[in-house]
Amino acid sequence: MLIVAGLIGALVGWTIAAVSGFDGVPVGVAWSWPITLVAAAAVLFCIAYVLHQRLQVNRLRIDDRQAVAWLALGKAAALMGVVMAGGYAGFAVRFLAELTIEGPRERVIRSAVAIVGGVLITVAGLRIERALMVPTDDQDDDSGQK
């Protein structure tokens, strides 16, 4: 599902870059989006770390509804991150041939930072999902017997 979402994001990003240039001025990439994606990834990594410590290391329990909410956040973050990374990748591909010109070079650099932010969000979302995994009976048994 994540691969398909990334490909759809790339197609949309490339289409936006191709269509926006018809009037002679292609859409720019402001620094606010790449920075926001990286900051969101940092927050999600903190959530993943806290959940991992609480559930896997300390073996504490959380309410079922709360676990479902965290799982939904992880899944949504992973999907959104891959769509954003794919979208910015598709957008950047459109300008790769023009790297010697300052405007397109700036778009590619900012898009590259946004791609990294999107990938980090995806990884953080997957880490949240992983932290919420319920241990199997084999992992719960400390004596080594099944």
Side-chain angles (χ1 to χ4, degrees):
M1 181 171 78
L2 292 178
I3 294 171
V4 171
L7 291 174
I8 290 171
L11 179 64
V12 169
W14 185 85
T15 303
I16 288 171
V19 170
S20 70
F22 283 143
D23 62 353
V25 182
V27 174
V29 178
W31 274 113
S32 58
W33 273 106
I35 291 171
T36 301
L37 291 174
V38 172
V43 169
L44 290 168
F45 272 113
C46 290
I47 291 170
Y49 176 77
V50 168
L51 285 172
H52 174 75
Q53 289 296 313
R54 183 172 183 174
L55 300 173
Q56 303 297 330
V57 175
N58 297 331
R59 301 275 188 193
L60 300 174
R61 293 188 45 84
I62 60 173
D63 181 54
D64 294 342
R65 287 185 220 156
Q66 192 177 20
V68 170
W70 287 123
L71 182 63
L73 174 70
K75 287 196 173 297
L79 187 60
M80 189 274 304
V82 77
V83 167
M84 295 300 285
Y88 277 103
F91 186 83
V93 164
R94 166 68 175 80
F95 299 103
L96 283 178
E98 305 166 4
L99 285 178
T100 56
I101 305 169
E102 184 178 345
R105 183 175 51 242
E106 286 296 317
R107 288 184 196 94
V108 170
I109 291 170
R110 293 174 185 183
S111 293
V113 174
I115 291 166
V116 170
V119 169
L120 289 174
I121 286 175
T122 301
V123 171
L126 294 174
R127 295 291 297 162
I128 289 172
E129 289 182 39
R130 176 98 173 127
L132 292 166
M133 288 182 63
V134 176
T136 63
D137 291 336
D138 295 341
Q139 293 172 337
D140 277 344
D141 191 6
D142 293 332
S143 64
Q145 296 176 355
K146 294 183 183 181

